[in-house]
Amino acid sequence: MARVLVAEDDEPVRVFVRRALEIDGHTVVEAMDGAEALDVLERGKGAFDLLLTDIRMPLMDGIALALAAAPQFPQLIILLMTGYADQRERAHGLDALVHDVMTKPFSLADIRAKVAEALAAGPKRPA
């Protein structure tokens, strides 16, 4: 199964996502914001298959995180999530870096299916 880094500042959502992905056997590491997630990625030398990040977070948002992580870790699959239409628009130009943008709220089945789809598709950037 995959190793997934979840960056989400809303603890109930972060816990929900972690539990959903653990059902499928994924190893999940949590980060409370983009800055912490980037630190986890760098300390782990990018040893993750998927980065699942909220767009709107304090310190470093998910778009800044994706822009920082993508060049350093080209094999990392990036999946964004947001509950805000304007944030989804901000992510529109990142098609070459991110697999997709998931709209909140989502169900257990939705998050599991979207992660499975992203992992099956593989990274968007050449290593």
Side-chain angles (χ1 to χ4, degrees), residues 38-39 41-43 45-46 60 64-76 78 97 125 127:
L38 186 58
D39 185 53
L41 281 169
E42 289 173 342
R43 279 188 286 119
K45 296 180 179 37
M60 175 186 273
L65 173 59
L67 290 170
Q72 290 186 65
F73 311 108
Q75 290 300 312
L76 182 66
I78 302 172
L97 300 180
R125 301 162 315 278

Side-chain angles (χ1 to χ4, degrees), residues 4 20-21 25 31 36 39 46 57 63 74-75 104 106 109 113 115 121 124 126:
V4 180
L21 300 181
E36 182 182 356
D39 185 53
M57 296 183 291
I63 291 175
Q75 290 300 312
K104 293 179 192 174
F106 43 75
V115 166
K124 290 193 117 182

Side-chain angles (χ1 to χ4, degrees), residues 20-126:
L21 300 181
E22 287 175 344
I23 288 171
D24 290 333
H26 301 300
T27 300
V28 180
V29 175
E30 299 176 41
M32 294 186 299
D33 58 53
E36 182 182 356
L38 186 58
D39 185 53
V40 169
L41 281 169
E42 289 173 342
R43 279 188 286 119
K45 296 180 179 37
F48 289 89
D49 301 296
L50 176 75
L51 169 62
L52 176 59
T53 180
D54 189 18
I55 293 177
R56 191 172 181 176
M57 296 183 291
L59 300 181
M60 175 186 273
D61 70 15
I63 291 175
L65 173 59
L67 290 170
Q72 290 186 65
F73 311 108
Q75 290 300 312
L76 182 66
I77 301 163
I78 302 172
L79 182 59
L80 302 175
M81 53 186 170
T82 188
Y84 300 92
D86 63 325
Q87 298 300 316
R88 188 172 179 83
E89 279 299 311
R90 282 184 57 219
H92 183 70
L94 299 177
D95 293 343
L97 300 180
V98 302
H99 175 76
D100 202 358
V101 181
M102 225 180 139
T103 303
K104 293 179 192 174
F106 43 75
S107 70
L108 180 73
D110 292 338
I111 190 68
R112 291 173 67 201
K114 187 59 79 172
V115 166
E117 173 193 305
L119 290 168
K124 290 193 117 182
R125 301 162 315 278

